[in-house]
Amino acid sequence: MSEKTIADRTTAGTPEQTGGVQTRTIDVRTPSKDYQVLVGAGVIDELGPLTHAALPKAQKAQIIADSNVAPLYGDAVAASLEEAGLSCSMQVFEAGEQAKKLSTLSDLLEGLAESELSRDDVVVALGGGVAGDMAGLAAALYLRGCAVVQVPTSLLAMVDSSVGGKTAVDLAAGKNLAGAFFQPSLVVADIDCLDTLSPQQFTDSVGEVIKYGVIADPQLFDQLEAHPLSVDSVDPDQLASVIARCIEIKRDVVQKDEREGGIRQILNFGHTIGHAIEAASNFQLGHGSSVAAGMCAIARASAARGWCDQEVAERIVALVAAHGLPTDTATDHQELLSYASHDKKRHGSTVNVVVPTAIGTVEVRKVGFTELLDLIDLGCRVA
Ligand code: GLY
């Protein structure tokens, strides 16, 4: 990654179509920042010109990636940035959720200072949710904020964590407890990166895709019922279209409520019980799988309470099962309550739980801990 200054490119060379996959551009406008999200095949090769177009003053880029992703895409990303005139360096951290902590964040911040990045320069978050969350937070803190470009390489990061500006590290007391809302300046989602995911990693992420169908889009839900997503069976252009649709839904929500004071909470559908399942598994069960089981649990409980028709819960459970994701948990209910009631989204002695009212609509209900345990009892099998 040599330092060089070349090229005076002021326009992004966005490919309209590569390998039969149309590139989709989603415009995001939030109170704190406007930016574009690109979804396509091979778009990572255009990262340099796209970054230059979004951040014309940037001269340096610091790529932050984990030890799995850096060898796969680090060179290609650096080459594209350098070709667009940005000098590049890369920081690599040990792959895994256990790296998402304050000491790694501290190393990343020291690395940005060592590379002498200025406020005009850019952090490039390359990888899945851990890299995106942590590099995003480093960018939010460094010099009180320098730009970050998100380059998500997992399906979960593409449809959820790279868009909307949530950044965080974990604390001993729980996941994502120290963070900031800090929007990226650009998001480049290259579906070719999904080729290196294992079928399990791909399937895990589909939990979040199903979530978007339930909270906002009955057509997307129908489409997933008719054509379940799997790593080998899905047509690349259909996959890009599904990813873009999820991002549009998230965009529409985040534009209305950037800092989760209200409607943004609907993006947490399945997460109250899901996070508890994930934490109780000591993070051995993937986030998307945990959310999938959490969605099924709250859907069954909602049907039992009469908040939605039984058919709604049955369709959610059937779609989750059709994707090979867990529909229930054997975790002890008191343990689930304990994790759920310590979630960062609690408000005093209540939590806001997102419940389905139909396929495509949800509502937020404030429940006390006793009622939350009732919902867990109604939604989850007895351990
Ligand atoms: N992952 C949920 C949100 O960004 O609000």
Side-chain angles (χ1 to χ4, degrees):
M1 249 163 262
S2 58
E3 292 201 0
K4 56 181 176 176
T5 305
I6 50 164
D8 179 21
R9 302 178 72 161
T10 50
T11 53
T14 313
E16 288 188 353
Q17 180 158 338
T18 311
V21 178
Q22 195 199 326
T23 301
R24 277 98 175 158
T25 304
I26 297 124
D27 290 304
V28 184
R29 296 184 205 291
T30 69
S32 68
K33 206 172 282 171
D34 295 347
Y35 54 97
Q36 289 192 322
V37 182
L38 270 90
V39 183
V43 278
I44 216 170
D45 296 331
E46 294 299 322
L47 185 67
L50 290 165
T51 301
H52 182 68
L55 298 160
K57 287 198 208 148
Q59 294 187 339
K60 290 184 184 174
Q62 183 98 321
I63 302 165
I64 294 180
D66 75 23
S67 51
N68 291 338
V69 171
L72 293 172
Y73 309 114
D75 285 349
V77 163
S80 179
L81 290 164
E82 287 180 341
E83 216 176 298
L86 289 134
S87 66
C88 257
S89 42
M90 181 153 67
Q91 281 179 281
V92 180
F93 63 89
E94 194 62 33
E97 180 77 27
Q98 65 284 355
K100 198 174 152 187
K101 56 187 177 190
L102 287 167
S103 58
T104 316
L105 177 69
S106 164
D107 291 345
L108 295 178
L109 289 167
E110 294 295 351
L112 296 176
E114 271 164 34
S115 298
E116 298 184 352
L117 258 74
S118 79
R119 257 197 201 149
D120 290 334
D121 294 325
V122 57
V123 172
V124 176
L126 172 64
V130 172
D133 281 8
M134 212 158 39
L137 183 54
L141 295 173
Y142 181 67
L143 302 180
R144 299 197 181 89
C146 75
V148 62
V149 169
Q150 293 279 354
V151 185
T153 59
S154 73
L155 180 58
L156 200 129
M158 288 181 191
V159 299
D160 186 31
S161 54
S162 65
V163 179
K166 279 191 181 174
T167 70
V169 291
D170 302 339
L171 299 180
K175 219 173 125 130
N176 293 334
L177 290 188
F181 288 98
F182 189 72
Q183 300 291 343
S185 297
L186 170 72
V187 182
V188 177
D190 188 337
I191 65 160
D192 286 349
C193 295
L194 302 176
D195 292 347
T196 54
L197 296 181
S198 69
Q200 290 79 6
Q201 285 169 321
F202 182 90
T203 298
D204 182 68
S205 306
V206 177
E208 290 279 1
V209 176
I210 294 171
K211 176 191 85 175
Y212 286 108
V214 180
I215 65 171
D217 192 340
Q219 283 82 26
L220 174 62
F221 195 94
D222 292 348
Q223 186 186 337
L224 294 171
E225 282 182 326
H227 307 285
L229 292 179
S230 85
V231 76
D232 352 281
S233 68
V234 85
D235 165 65
D237 194 57
Q238 188 208 338
L239 181 59
S241 138
V242 168
I243 293 169
R245 181 65 197 126
C246 294
I247 295 168
E248 280 172 356
I249 294 169
K250 180 155 190 182
R251 180 269 315 269
D252 292 346
V253 171
V254 168
Q255 285 187 168
K256 287 187 195 132
D257 176 23
E258 186 181 11
R259 298 176 69 88
E260 205 173 284
I263 193 176
R264 186 165 179 167
Q265 294 174 75
I266 72 170
L267 297 173
N268 300 327
F269 173 59
H271 284 59
T272 303
I273 299 177
H275 270 163
I277 294 170
E278 190 179 5
S281 80
N282 209 11
F283 299 96
Q284 296 309 298
L285 190 63
H287 177 73
S289 301
S290 305
V291 166
M295 290 191 294
C296 293
I298 197 64
R300 278 189 293 261
S302 300
R305 275 274 196 270
W307 297 332
C308 68
D309 291 343
Q310 186 64 32
E311 192 215 350
V312 171
E314 284 167 8
R315 284 183 71 192
I316 293 170
V317 172
L319 187 58
V320 165
H323 284 90
L325 287 161
T327 60
D328 207 340
T329 177
T331 312
D332 174 73
H333 294 187
Q334 283 291 345
E335 192 182 354
L336 288 176
L337 177 69
S338 165
Y339 281 114
S341 57
H342 285 93
D343 194 89
K344 65 183 176 306
K345 295 178 183 84
R346 94 174 162 221
H347 303 271
S349 58
T350 62
V351 276
N352 287 347
V353 179
V354 185
V355 305
T357 49
I359 299 296
T361 53
V362 287
E363 64 185 19
V364 180
R365 281 180 174 263
K366 187 191 284 252
V367 300
F369 295 153
T370 311
E371 170 143 35
L372 180 57
L373 182 59
D374 285 347
L375 296 178
I376 291 170
D377 287 342
L378 287 168
C380 304
R381 70 169 172 262
V382 179

